[in-house]
Structure formats: structure tokens, C-alpha cells
Amino acid sequence: KNYAKMHPIEEQQPAENFTIETWQCNTCLSSDAALPPAQDLRALDPTPASPAFGGVDDEGPTPGFGEPRSYGMSTVSMISEDEVFPDDANLYTDECPESCRLPLFCQCREFTMGAGCFHTEGHLDPMKIAFECPRLCPERCCQALDSLLHGSSFDVASENSVSAGPDKSSLTFHTKVLLLTELITEIHLFGGDMADSETGLTGVTFVREEDNLSAGCIEGEESCSLKLDPENPFFKKVTMQQVIFEADPSIHRLEKFICYLCLESLAGEKLEFGDLNEVGTIQGKSWLQPEVAEGKLCITGVGFADAFPVSMQLVDVAPMGDDVDDALERIFYGRDVLSFTCLHTGLALYEHHGMIAMEDPSAIPVLEAVMEAVEHANPSWTGLLPNAINIIDDALAAKMGTTASVLRLDRYLTHVIQKKLSVGMWDASTNHYKKLIPLKQQISILARAVGVVNRYNRNKPSFTVYSWACLSGDKVSKWKAYLTFAVQVLLVTMLCLGMEVENFGTQTPSLLVSVLVSFVIISIAWAQMENYNAIKETFPKQMGKSLMWLDWITNKVLAVIVVIANFLLLGSTAEYLDLVLNSTATLFIVELDDVALSVDHEGIVDALRSLAYRLINEALQNMDKRYWAVKELRRSHPKINLKNCALVW
């Protein structure tokens, strides 16, 4: 981009001497000036379970991804750009303080396969060639290659750039991304002819119980399917290979498709589509380096180029072991109905910058703002809450897209750090581990607070006077809870002591009313027990022990006593009016902790907002203060715990 600014070039016609086999033009190939060897340029990391991401690596920033971040002062660079993550094994440790140890669900990774740009192992990076080749070629015949690969300029954020993908009005290969709302239990793949009789993936069908969703072209000649274990519907290995070919030579239009996809379940069953080819370029087609991911994987999204799937988004829940419920409730929407969330924006970040697809793009500015605070503020945690206010408000308003985006962003940063990668939209100095890890810890704290709000929106428990006192924490609510408990115990005691059961069963109408009212009280007591469990599940760490014990005694112990006492009392009552009064009295005792509470929806939202702020501030204050001190981070040399994305001094 900088080179293009310094050397403006007039509009040119597509070069006719373009040789796609080596991604170079004939003029440059015949010139004395040789390009640097391929191993010195950026290439796809062939390491298994490390899908390619755009951005920077140990070689420094990629041309065209913008200049280093600057804010009217000298650019902050803690160490040289070739040490984004250190290579010294002695700087890594398995030890981790309790204060910065991530919950297991925050250790899960979310990443993409096949969404990256034109990277192949052992081949020149086209982005690099497009930048270097015009310098070596006096006729600038390779300027057309720049337009061919990345549009009319290096500015990948421009929506007006010429397309390198299937649709000339768009910027990338991807035209949409479909994010799954629930975990699938079965998958069907469909294929057809894509380029010169080369078979490619044309469509996919996802199945969850009775729900069935298809996308793409499912009328292909080739099809295969895999049914997963409903109790353990995960993959242990996913392998993908893609092909890029020149679909229309007259306008140099490129297309990309999946030529090979292998899904292996935890049970060892395989779903294999297509053929795995040797990496290379021949006859206008380029077979890319296969990407491999391993772990305990579930599919969360599929990227499409027009009607054909070209990429996948995955989550690795291996850190959860066998108990994956906590992770799944943060990965999927929890609506028990399989559906898609369709995204048409932010695809430049998804494809060119290695970001994952997210429902709400407003999470990206929050990420940028928190990184600014990490680089400049002291302490850096002061930038989290001011920039996350809108995120928390959207979560309180039950906007699932915003909540899911924050949780996805947390998992993406886990993937970046655990695999020692980079956030593609930032330069090397910004991607330094002393900045990424404090950033990850702050986003993780935000994600945990948003997760509590999300659990409330899922469970929708009703508050009693006891649970409300635990949530709000104010003294008036606590005293009100204690007084209500005393009244309930007193009324139950008086009920038991005042009963006379000598005439039990002598009056048939009384016995019948006793049975009917007892069923009603049992249903009420059962609902209160379920609500108590929902409260405990929603706020497992926020509920005060003493008050929740009172809630447990009231809704379980006293409820059982009231059911038995009511049956005996009404069965011994002869007068009809006494039957009505006694029935009402026993119902009142059971419902007293509910009717004693008077709070509207706005009050609940305010209490949840206060709880979210309190959780964030407490977590930030409990962390090692050196996390948030920019100067201290520069001077110190902490070790890295990759599992917990933590610094250890």
C-alpha cells in the first residue's frame, strides 16, 4: 500500500504474459533480478491443528495490512518484531496462579479452516509477489496481478475494490457465512463438477434430531453422510484441502472450492469427501496445502462463495473433558431448534485478516479500544468497562448476537495465544505476547460477566425474597428476607401445633377437598424447587450461603411439611367455610417468600447490570497488578502459561 502511494500507476490492461503456474509474469521470470527464495516469504504454517490465519508472523507485518499502530506519539514496541512469541522453551511454564487461571470453558478455541488467503506451502506468497514484482519489472506488467489477487489496491477494507472472488462486486471469495445456532448430530456432504471435471464440495446438510438444514447445491452426483453419537457428537480430526482456479481468463476471475474434506468422529468413524492431492499448480489450477485440526471439535459455521461452501468455523472443547455442558451453553444459542445466523458483512476481516465470523461487528471496536488501553493506559484495565458498557447493555436486552460475539471473541483469542499466532489486523509490535495476554484476560473477564447475564436470559428464573437479597446485596432486602423466613417458620409451627386430627377422614367432602388442595400445593412446591435449582444454576457463585440456605429450607423442607400438614388439617375439617380458610392459609404460607418481593423488570435489569460491573471489577482487582502496568510489562520477563493464556512472574 505504501509502495503504491509512492509510485502511482496509471490504469493498465490485464497482462497477457501472465504465468499462473508460478504466480509470476514472464517478464520477471526472464529478468536478471531474481525474486527471493520461496522459503524466505510468508507461507501457510503446515503444522497440524494450526489453520492458516492472515496477518503477521515471525517475518514481520504483511505488506498491505497497514502501518504500525500510532496514536500521535512514538509507536509502542516492547521488543523487536521477530519475537511476537518467544522460541525459548524455558519461557513457558505449566504453573499458573489461581487469580489468572481461566475457567475450562474459556480455554476452548474457536478458529476457521479454509477461510484464509492464497497461501500454499513451498510456493511464493502472491501478496508478497504483488508487492515485490513491480519493483523488479520495469514495465510494471505485474500490476495486473495485484488487481487479480486483491483488487485495484492493497486496501482490503475498501468495499469498492475490484474483486478477487466469484462476484466482481465483492471483495473476497466469501459472499456469506452461516453460523449454526445449535450442535449438530449428523452431516451430509454433496459434490459436483467444479473445474475441468474436478470434483468439489457443492452443498451441505446439517441434522439435529428432527431439524434438518441444507445450504448450497444438494443435487450433486456425489454425496456422503456421517451420523454422530447423540451423547458425544464431536469430531476428533478435520482435514480440508482447497483448489484455486482461473474461472474466467478474459477478466482473470479466480474461484476457490473444497476438493477434499475428511471428518473423523470421536468414535473413529470417517466421512471422507473427494481426493487428497499433492500441493502444486498445474494447468491454471492450484492445490493448496491441506489444513488439519485436531481436538474435540464441533462445527459452528460454514463460509460460502455464492452457493458453494469454501470454509468452516470450528470450536475445540477438549479442555472441558467429558462435561461439556458449560461450554456448549456459551457456544450455541440454547434454543433446541437448529437454525442459521447469516452474515454478509465483515467478510474482509474474516478472509484477509484471519478473524472468525461473529454476529455483531461492534465487538471489534471494543477489542481495538481495549488494546489501546493495554498499550497506553496505566492501569490498562481502566479501558475495559467504559468501552464494554454497550456490550453489557445489549446482553441485558437479550441480544443473542452481541452475547455470542463476545464469547466467540474470547475463544478466538484463546486460539491465537495457545497456537502462538497473531491477530491479522494488527502489526507485530501490537501482537506481542505481553499485550495479547493482558488483552485476552480482560476479554475473558468480560465474557464471563456476559455469560452470567446470558444464563439468566436462558433460564429466566423467578426471584424470591431470598434470592433477590443475594443478588442485590443491599441491607434492606437482607433484613426483609430474614423477617420473611421467621414468619414462615412461625406459621408452619403454629399450623402443626394447632391441628386436631381425631376426626380425620370422617367427612367425605373434607377428605376429597384435602386431596385436591394437596395436589395444588404439591405442584406449587415442585415449581418452587425447580426455580430454586434454576437460581443456583444461573448464579452459582453470586448467591450468599446463609440466604440460599434459608431459601432451600423454605422451598424444600417447609414445603414438604406444609403438604403433609395441609392434608391432615383439611381431612379433619368439618365446616365448609373452615375448609376454604384453611386451604387459603396453607397456600399463603407456601407463597409467602414470593409475594413478599416487589420488584419490576427494570429493577432486575439494574441488579444484573450492577452484578456484571461488580464481577468485572472484582476479577480485575484480584489479578496480578503487573498485568495492567505498561512500564512493568516492558521491564519484566514473565513466563507464559499457554493453557490459561497467562503471564507468570
Side-chain angles (χ1 to χ4, degrees):
K1 184 176 180 180
N2 298 333
Y3 182 83
K5 289 180 179 179
M6 293 184 292
H7 303 80
I9 301 173
E10 296 80 7
E11 182 178 356
Q12 300 186 20
Q13 298 299 320
E16 297 181 357
N17 60 344
F18 173 66
T19 302
I20 197 170
E21 292 184 5
T22 56
W23 298 108
Q24 302 172 61
C25 68
N26 295 335
T27 304
C28 286
L29 288 174
S30 61
S31 66
D32 295 333
L35 284 172
Q39 60 268 26
D40 291 337
L41 302 177
R42 292 181 65 247
L44 172 65
D45 181 4
T47 305
S50 300
F53 277 80
V56 297
D57 57 8
D58 293 343
E59 297 292 331
T62 301
F65 278 5
E67 299 181 4
R69 296 158 60 91
S70 179
Y71 304 94
M73 59 186 76
S74 60
T75 303
V76 176
S77 180
M78 294 185 177
I79 59 174
S80 61
E81 292 183 354
D82 60 350
E83 296 181 357
V84 173
F85 278 92
D87 295 327
D88 188 357
N90 294 323
L91 292 178
Y92 296 89
T93 179
D94 293 331
E95 298 179 359
C96 184
E98 185 66 30
S99 61
C100 55
R101 187 170 297 168
L102 293 176
L104 294 179
F105 54 78
C106 287
Q107 297 177 20
C108 299
R109 304 179 297 120
E110 187 155 9
F111 54 95
T112 61
M113 294 185 70
C117 201
F118 314 89
H119 300 102
T120 59
E121 184 184 23
H123 288 72
L124 294 176
D125 185 340
M127 191 95 171
K128 187 81 172 179
I129 294 174
F131 192 72
E132 296 286 354
C133 196
R135 301 182 185 178
L136 304 176
C137 179
E139 289 79 15
R140 311 213 183 232
C141 58
C142 289
Q143 184 64 20
L145 181 61
D146 171 27
S147 297
L148 173 66
L149 296 179
H150 285 282
S152 58
S153 73
F154 286 105
D155 185 6
V156 298
S158 173
E159 294 294 341
N160 297 321
S161 298
V162 179
S163 173
D167 181 1
K168 298 301 287 187
S169 64
S170 65
L171 179 67
T172 64
F173 280 117
H174 288 82
T175 55
K176 64 183 176 184
V177 178
L178 300 179
L179 295 176
L180 290 164
T181 61
E182 298 301 330
L183 183 66
I184 64 169
T185 57
E186 188 175 348
I187 183 171
H188 301 260
L189 303 178
F190 302 88
D193 291 341
M194 299 295 292
D196 298 332
S197 300
E198 181 81 18
T199 300
L201 188 66
T202 60
V204 60
T205 296
F206 298 107
V207 180
R208 175 185 170 87
E209 297 177 354
E210 301 299 325
D211 298 328
N212 198 318
L213 279 181
S214 298
C217 179
I218 60 174
E219 300 296 332
E221 298 178 358
E222 299 189 17
S223 64
C224 50
S225 62
L226 175 63
K227 191 170 184 179
L228 302 170
D229 180 5
E231 300 299 323
N232 209 11
F234 301 99
F235 305 98
K236 68 178 180 181
K237 187 175 181 180
V238 177
T239 306
M240 177 189 294
Q241 187 179 32
Q242 297 169 306
V243 173
I244 293 178
F245 70 101
E246 195 172 27
D248 190 343
S250 63
I251 58 175
H252 292 296
R253 189 185 72 180
L254 301 181
E255 291 190 7
K256 180 168 68 171
F257 63 88
I258 297 174
C259 64
Y260 178 79
L261 181 61
C262 180
L263 306 172
E264 185 175 353
S265 70
L266 290 178
E269 299 176 335
K270 281 188 178 182
L271 171 61
E272 197 167 14
F273 172 86
D275 298 315
L276 191 61
N277 296 278
E278 182 179 353
V279 176
T281 304
I282 187 172
Q283 296 180 350
K285 290 185 290 187
S286 180
W287 285 267
L288 306 186
Q289 174 72 14
E291 297 183 34
V292 181
E294 294 181 283
K296 191 173 183 178
L297 308 169
C298 58
I299 300 174
T300 56
V302 180
F304 281 79
D306 287 340
F308 303 132
V310 292
S311 65
M312 298 178 70
Q313 189 158 307
L314 306 171
V315 172
D316 181 12
V317 296
M320 300 298 298
D322 294 331
D323 187 9
V324 297
D325 291 341
D326 280 349
L328 293 180
E329 78 169 14
R330 290 166 172 81
I331 296 171
F332 298 105
Y333 288 15
R335 297 172 180 170
D336 293 328
V337 177
L338 184 62
S339 182
F340 286 133
T341 297
C342 187
L343 308 179
H344 294 282
T345 59
L347 300 181
L349 285 174
Y350 180 72
E351 182 167 316
H352 294 276
H353 285 313
M355 292 293 293
I356 57 172
M358 294 181 289
E359 293 87 341
D360 189 351
S362 65
I364 299 298
V366 173
L367 183 70
E368 289 271 9
V370 175
M371 177 53 86
E372 288 184 25
V374 169
E375 291 180 316
H376 302 293
N378 191 14
S380 61
W381 59 261
T382 55
L384 179 58
L385 259 181
N387 292 292
I389 291 293
N390 292 340
I391 294 286
I392 296 174
D393 286 343
D394 286 346
L396 291 169
K399 294 184 178 180
M400 192 61 203
T402 303
T403 299
S405 297
V406 174
L407 300 176
R408 291 186 195 278
L409 193 59
D410 180 46
R411 294 190 294 269
Y412 166 69
L413 291 175
T414 301
H415 174 75
V416 168
I417 293 172
Q418 289 184 353
K419 297 302 179 182
K420 297 190 285 188
L421 302 173
S422 302
V423 178
M425 59 187 179
W426 293 336
D427 58 67
S429 64
T430 305
N431 273 299
H432 185 254
Y433 72 94
K434 290 183 181 179
K435 298 179 182 180
L436 284 182
I437 291 178
L439 172 70
K440 156 64 184 175
Q441 288 286 346
Q442 292 193 52
I443 296 298
S444 181
I445 289 171
L446 173 62
R448 278 175 271 172
V450 169
V452 172
V453 177
N454 183 45
R455 281 202 307 269
Y456 171 78
N457 290 328
R458 281 192 177 200
N459 298 333
K460 291 293 185 182
S462 299
F463 288 100
T464 65
V465 68
Y466 307 110
S467 57
W468 177 255
C470 291
L471 181 64
S472 62
D474 65 273
K475 293 182 178 180
V476 175
S477 297
K478 290 182 178 179
W479 279 108
K480 190 175 182 179
Y482 290 130
L483 180 61
T484 302
F485 178 75
V487 172
Q488 283 186 295
V489 172
L490 179 62
L491 291 176
V492 171
T493 303
M494 293 173 62
L495 174 64
C496 295
L497 295 177
M499 285 192 306
E500 297 179 359
V501 296
E502 293 83 359
N503 298 324
F504 178 78
T506 58
Q507 300 291 329
T508 302
S510 299
L511 190 60
L512 180 60
V513 172
S514 174
V515 171
L516 294 176
V517 174
S518 295
F519 273 115
V520 174
I521 294 179
I522 289 174
S523 64
I524 294 175
W526 186 266
Q528 289 184 336
M529 293 179 186
E530 292 291 327
N531 188 69
Y532 170 83
N533 294 332
I535 287 286
K536 289 286 289 184
E537 180 185 348
T538 304
F539 309 104
K541 297 181 179 179
Q542 288 72 44
M543 298 291 102
K545 291 183 178 180
S546 60
L547 287 171
M548 289 311 295
W549 269 110
L550 298 185
D551 200 2
W552 182 85
I553 293 172
T554 300
N555 290 305
K556 294 194 174 182
V557 178
L558 292 185
V560 174
I561 296 175
V562 168
V563 169
I564 298 173
N566 172 78
F567 180 73
L568 296 175
L569 176 63
L570 297 184
S572 305
T573 303
E575 299 295 332
Y576 291 157
L577 182 59
D578 290 339
L579 281 172
V580 175
L581 295 176
N582 290 339
S583 301
T584 305
T586 51
L587 290 171
F588 173 75
I589 295 174
V590 175
E591 293 281 351
L592 184 58
D593 58 333
D594 294 323
V595 299
L597 178 65
S598 176
V599 59
D600 57 8
H601 176 71
E602 292 300 323
I604 295 176
V605 170
D606 289 340
L608 290 173
R609 182 182 290 107
S610 177
L611 173 63
Y613 295 168
R614 190 165 67 248
L615 291 174
I616 292 174
N617 285 322
E618 288 176 356
L620 291 171
Q621 295 295 334
N622 290 335
M623 296 278 291
D624 192 314
K625 302 300 183 292
R626 287 171 288 189
Y627 267 97
W628 321 127
V630 176
K631 293 182 180 179
E632 181 68 24
L633 281 174
R634 273 203 199 97
R635 292 192 298 262
S636 63
H637 298 283
K639 292 187 177 182
I640 305 171
N641 183 294
L642 291 177
K643 179 180 178 182
N644 290 281
C645 304
L647 299 174
V648 181
W649 282 269

